[in-house]
Amino acid sequence: MKALGWWIADYVYAGYWQLRASLGRSDAASFSSGDAAHIVVLPGVYETWRFMQPLITALHARGHPVHVVDVLRRNQRPVAEMAEQVADFLQANDLRDVILVAHSKGGLAGKLVMTGPAAGRVRSMLAIATPFGGSRYARRIPLRTLRAFSPEDPSIVGLARQLEVNARIVSIYADFDPHIPEGSELAGAKNVRLDTGGHFRILAHPRVLAELAVLAE
């Protein structure tokens, strides 16, 4: 019954913020000022940056310049393409010593960025509910965009072999995730397992900001 309650609360949260995101008119540039560490946000699949706006607002209030990669749109392209767009953004804006704050699929792209040509521009990554080992549920989904999260997908397998950057990643995830039954534990990373449930609503969990504060020091 507890898992069912978490599942319902998670989708209520997701539905509310997807609706808010579709109606949002905020200018991403309004969050790009600040003297603290630069942050680049990487939303999950089918999410625009506005889905993460509560977290973006909280980070900006703490003095962080928060940057949005608009060309990602709703993140339906392959992880490799997404990572290339993020790397291009970092280089085009000459951003350095950046902290990536990523949700779900965004964490896969973020890790790939940390192993590519823009790797030297990234200090660390806070990955929230990221399927580093894939999700067995993806095997049953006919949509290519979601089937790419299968544990056997080449992008998942290839990323799992990239171990050298894991020490610079904090993976934070819920005890129960309705989308990732395997969890988001990443070997060699700092793994933070929250005593709660959900794939979306943990974006608003206070531990997320606490872990970011540690990375930003």
Side-chain angles (χ1 to χ4, degrees), residues 20-98:
R20 286 285 299 268
S22 67
L23 300 175
R25 295 294 180 267
S26 301
D27 182 4
S30 65
F31 300 105
S32 62
S33 62
D35 299 321
H38 287 266
I39 289 173
V40 173
V41 293
L42 306 178
V45 65
Y46 300 132
E47 298 171 6
T48 67
W49 67 268
R50 287 190 174 89
F51 186 78
M52 295 179 68
Q53 192 166 330
L55 181 56
I56 290 171
T57 300
L59 293 171
H60 186 247
R62 291 178 173 229
H64 293 283
V66 184
H67 305 277
V68 169
V69 187
D70 265 327
V71 293
L72 295 178
R73 299 184 184 275
R74 290 173 60 82
N75 297 342
Q76 294 171 256
R77 304 299 300 166
V79 167
E81 186 175 323
M82 184 180 174
E84 183 178 350
Q85 291 172 328
V86 174
D88 288 346
F89 177 85
L90 295 177
Q91 292 167 343
N93 291 277
D94 196 25
L95 294 175
R96 301 175 186 274
D97 201 30
V98 164

Side-chain angles (χ1 to χ4, degrees), residues 125-199:
M125 178 171 69
L126 180 64
I128 307 157
T130 291
F132 287 112
S135 170
R136 60 179 177 267
Y137 295 155
R139 297 173 179 140
R140 311 172 189 169
I141 302 175
L143 296 174
R144 174 58 187 151
T145 300
L146 299 180
R147 200 168 63 249
F149 298 123
S150 168
E152 296 82 21
D153 190 89
S155 65
I156 297 291
V157 174
L159 270 178
R161 294 178 178 144
Q162 301 288 341
L163 302 176
E164 68 279 1
V165 300
N166 289 3
R168 294 191 286 125
I169 296 174
V170 175
S171 180
I172 185 167
Y173 53 99
D175 183 58
F176 167 78
D177 188 322
H179 291 270
I180 314 172
E182 295 85 353
S184 299
E185 184 171 347
L186 182 64
K190 178 181 179 181
N191 291 287
V192 180
R193 183 169 179 165
L194 303 176
D195 185 21
T196 186
H199 183 74

